Amino acid sequence: MLNSFSSFHYVAFLLLLGSLLLNVQHDHVDNVFGASKQHLLLLTAHPDDECMFFGPTILALTAAEVNHTVYSLCLSSGDADGLGDVRKKELGASLDVLGVDRGRRAVLDEP
């Protein structure tokens, strides 16, 4: 019961945070994250979390008028069903679209 209760609150928090960040306009992102260029780390548990939960935020942070440096660290390859290699490629393609440079990404694949 505690695990499902915690998971529910975690998902609710992410949805609330995402909806708040969706309301941030590109020209106001500097005010939220500071006037100077920032270096930010996106930490996700598995491939697809970057687009499901943080897509609009990453797009706002990597937009040309803001152009913060975003790094991505994914803590697993999502290989539960033997699709780890496929999911890593999908993660790379997603990060390409979101504007995270190839040299600023890593996937940990520890058992």
Side-chain angles (χ1 to χ4, degrees):
M1 176 83 171
L2 182 58
N3 286 341
S4 63
F5 181 76
S6 298
S7 296
F8 170 78
H9 281 89
Y10 176 72
V11 170
F13 171 76
L14 289 176
L15 290 173
L16 175 63
L17 180 63
S19 67
L20 290 173
L21 290 173
L22 279 174
N23 291 323
V24 175
Q25 300 296 321
H26 287 282
D27 56 340
H28 298 294
V29 172
D30 259 356
N31 295 332
V32 173
F33 292 102
S36 63
K37 184 173 180 171
Q38 300 291 312
H39 296 271
L40 306 161
L41 174 64
L42 171 69
L43 180 65
T44 56
H46 354 77
D48 77 14
D49 290 354
E50 78 290 342
C51 58
M52 285 179 46
F53 301 115
F54 306 107
T57 302
I58 298 168
L59 287 171
L61 293 170
T62 58
E65 60 270 12
V66 177
N67 199 27
H68 291 301
T69 303
V70 178
Y71 297 83
S72 172
L73 175 59
C74 187
L75 299 179
S76 77
S77 64
D79 196 33
D81 296 323
L83 298 172
D85 290 334
V86 171
R87 297 203 61 204
K88 281 188 210 178
K89 289 177 186 173
E90 292 172 348
L91 173 63
S94 175
L95 292 172
D96 285 343
V97 170
L98 294 171
V100 178
D101 293 336
R102 290 177 188 255
R104 296 188 174 117
R105 320 170 177 177
V107 177
L108 299 180
D109 201 10
E110 301 296 322

